[in-house]
């Protein structure tokens, strides 16, 4: 038995089964699919262990693979071995695709498979993003889109713009980010919190993508016609690792046009430019006050509209009431659905005569895009009774509306009391010690400032020194991202953050580039300290663990011990470099 197994092992190691015919075939599970559907391509090499190259997929997109398997059998004295590779493919667009031949070199010759033709028909009609389809055609692995919540709006009506990145790379970093140029819009940013990748991939025409929403804006067009949003431009670094600098890939999104309709003319009296869904509530804090006692009228706008563009409405009040400019109180939120909330104007009024008064009703107009017409908002009227003040009736002259309390006269001045800081006669500042100290201080301050500036410019000119000074702070800030990922149980972002923090710190502290971060180089740079070699080995170990977790994940949750080890090795290196 031992002799038989030795014989079989010898044959396996030599790579070719003696006396057996070598086979090399390519096959698919089906030759016709609809756009977005998937097929499997299998290439099998029989009775030899030579390596073979992948074929040209002819425009088909690899969704998964290759997955390799091998088989070995020995039946009735006949031995057979085979190696198979399988790919999962799809086609985003209909048409005819040809998978080219795969080739393998055996002995002194080359064996090739037959080409395979795939017919792709139009897929079943389903809702899709035309801009994602367009981006997929330009680059099936990485593209960006700009989409709008509406394609046709009125002037002043809000629309949400979303900037999205689609990627099939396992490792991707944004290195350059240029926002699109817009003309004719008033924009409000939507706070997305910490930008990150969505938990689940999105499938576009049968191809799964990792998706990140980079930015969202609420746009308010300020003029009618066709308004264009220019492309979003990105530069991404893909496939970066400890041993590979990666490569840069440029991404340019689609342009997008918004059709803006002018508001119906003529606009009604009282229209202030509000567009959307609005309600108006008017309240008076009390209907009975004493003479010269202030009271307040509040006008509160609520709804989904361009609230931040609303101005305080002007309304007439009786001449016996003194009105001050209103205070504005906002409770406005900007979310993925648009701008909504309340804007309240608080008017302070003071009665200057007794009697019964009425603040007239207020009527304002706004445009409702849902109905396509102007709507009227009403508040009031507000009745008011003014009672005599303390000391009986005191009539006051009529005054115009005020923005603040005015000085009515200066014939009687306030009499100052207390310590008036009087000085003995004959004493002067000129010629005293304080006088000469005041003259010399600016010159001394100028000399000190000049020395500090020269020192600062010298330090800024030393790029290595600046990197070294900022290394610890930058690393700890990046490790905060690792701590957040560890709390969330996200293994991928955790190891990315730890690797980025440690790599960045070592490079900045030692003045090294990514390609120079080798074990020998770190040992040479840290040889000044008593534990330089141990620190270099610990840094290499942690980076190796991170790279293994990122590119060949074997654990589902972050390791707190790895995070603590990264903190400790940064502290040890910091102490070593200061010696």
């Amino acid at each position: 038995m031992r002799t038989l197994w030795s014989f079989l092992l010898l044959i396996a190691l030599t790579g070719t089964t003696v006396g057996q015919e070598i086979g090399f075939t390519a096959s698919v599970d089906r030759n016709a699919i609809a756009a977005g559907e998937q097929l499997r391509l299998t290439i099998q090499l029989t009775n030899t262990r030579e390596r073979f190259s992948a074929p040209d997929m002819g425009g088909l997109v690899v969704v998964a693979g290759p997955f390799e398997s091998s088989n070995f059998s020995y039946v009735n004295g006949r031995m057979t071995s085979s190696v198979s590779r399988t790919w999962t493919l799809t086609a985003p667009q209909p048409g005819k695709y040809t998978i080219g031949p795969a080739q393998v070199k055996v002995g002194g010759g080359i064996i090739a498979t037959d080409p395979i033709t795939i017919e792709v028909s139009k897929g079943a009609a389903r809702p899709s993003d035309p801009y994602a389809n367009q981006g997929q055609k330009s680059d099936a692995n990485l593209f960006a889109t700009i989409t709008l919540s509406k394609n046709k709006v009125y002037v002043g009506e809000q629309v949400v713009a979303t900037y999205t990145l689609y990627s099939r790379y396992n490792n991707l970093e944004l290195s350059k980010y240029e926002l699109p140029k817009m003309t004719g819009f008033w924009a409000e940013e939507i706070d997305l919190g910490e930008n990150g990748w969505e938990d689940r991939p999105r499938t576009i025409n049968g191809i799964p993508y990792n998706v990140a929403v980079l930015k969202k804006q609420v746009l308010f067009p300020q003029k009618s016609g066709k308004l264009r949003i220019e492309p979003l431009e990105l530069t991404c670094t893909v496939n970066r690792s400890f041993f590979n600098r990666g490569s840069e890939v440029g991404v340019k999104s689609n342009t997008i046009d918004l059709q803006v309709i002018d508001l119906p003319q003529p606009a009604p009296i009282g229209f202030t430019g509000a567009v959307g869904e609005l309600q108006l509530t008017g309240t008076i804090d009390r209907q009975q006050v004493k003479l010269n006692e202030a009271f307040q009228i509040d006008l509160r706008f609520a709804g989904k509209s361009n609230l931040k563009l609303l101005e305080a409405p002007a309304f007439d009040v009786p001449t016996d009431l003194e009105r001050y400019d209103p205070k504005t109180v906002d409770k406005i939120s900007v979310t993925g659905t648009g701008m909504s909330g309340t804007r309240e104007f608080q008017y302070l009024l003071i009665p200057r005569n007794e009697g019964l008064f009425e603040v007239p009703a207020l009527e304002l107009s706004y445009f409702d895009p849902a109905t396509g017409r102007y709507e009227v908002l009403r508040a009031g009227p507000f009745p008011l009774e003014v009672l005599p003040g303390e000391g009986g009736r005191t009539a006051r002259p009529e005054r115009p509306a005020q923005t603040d309390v005015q000085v009515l006269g200066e014939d009687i001045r306030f009499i100052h009391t207390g310590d008036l800081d009087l000085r003995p006669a004959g004493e002067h500042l000129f010629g005293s010690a304080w006088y000469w100290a005041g003259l010399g201080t600016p010159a001394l301050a100028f000399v000190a400032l000049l020395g500090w500036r020269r020192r600062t410019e010298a330090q800024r000119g030393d790029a290595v020194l600046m990197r070294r000074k900022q290394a610890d702070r930058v690393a700890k800030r990046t490790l905060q991202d690792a701590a957040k990922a560890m709390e969330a149980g996200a293994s991928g972002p955790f190891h990315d953050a730890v690797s980025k923090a440690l790599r960045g710190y070592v490079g900045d502290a030692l003045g090294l580039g990514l390609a120079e971060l080798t074990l020998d180089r770190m040992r040479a740079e840290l040889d000044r300290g008593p534990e330089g070699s141990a620190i270099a080995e610990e840094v290499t170990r942690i980076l190796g663990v991170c790279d293994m977790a990122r590119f060949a994940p074997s654990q589902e949750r972050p390791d707190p011990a790895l995070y603590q080890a990264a903190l400790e090795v940064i502290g040890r290196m910091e102490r070593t470099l200061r010696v």
Side-chain angles (χ1 to χ4, degrees), residues 38-39 41 54-67 86-92 99 140-141 168 206-209:
Q38 299 178 353
L39 61 89
L41 167 67
D56 180 4
M57 299 303 177
L60 294 172
V61 179
V62 178
V63 176
F67 305 105
T86 303
W87 291 262
T88 302
L89 309 175
T90 189
I99 301 174
N141 293 320
R168 298 185 66 221
I207 304 175
Y209 289 91

Side-chain angles (χ1 to χ4, degrees), residues 161-211:
T162 304
Y163 308 86
T164 310
L165 181 66
Y166 297 80
S167 172
R168 298 185 66 221
Y169 293 101
N170 293 327
N171 190 3
L172 181 143
E173 298 176 8
L174 285 178
S175 54
K176 189 176 180 183
Y177 190 166
E178 291 188 9
L179 294 176
K181 299 177 181 179
M182 291 183 291
T183 304
F185 292 98
W186 181 74
E188 186 76 17
E189 299 293 329
I190 297 177
D191 185 9
L192 298 178
E194 294 185 3
N195 290 341
W197 299 95
E198 294 182 356
D199 295 335
R200 297 182 178 181
R202 295 190 200 176
T203 300
I204 308 296
N205 296 320
I207 304 175
Y209 289 91
N210 296 320
V211 178

Side-chain angles (χ1 to χ4, degrees), residues 486 494 557-566:
M486 183 169 58
F494 168 77
R557 298 189 59 82
D559 183 5
L562 186 67
Y563 174 80
Q564 189 63 32

Side-chain angles (χ1 to χ4, degrees), residues 149 158-160 190 216 218 304 333-340:
S149 58
Q158 57 184 323
V159 59
V160 178
I190 297 177
K216 277 191 176 184
V218 179
K304 187 177 180 181
S333 61
V334 182
T335 65
T337 59
M339 180 181 292
S340 61

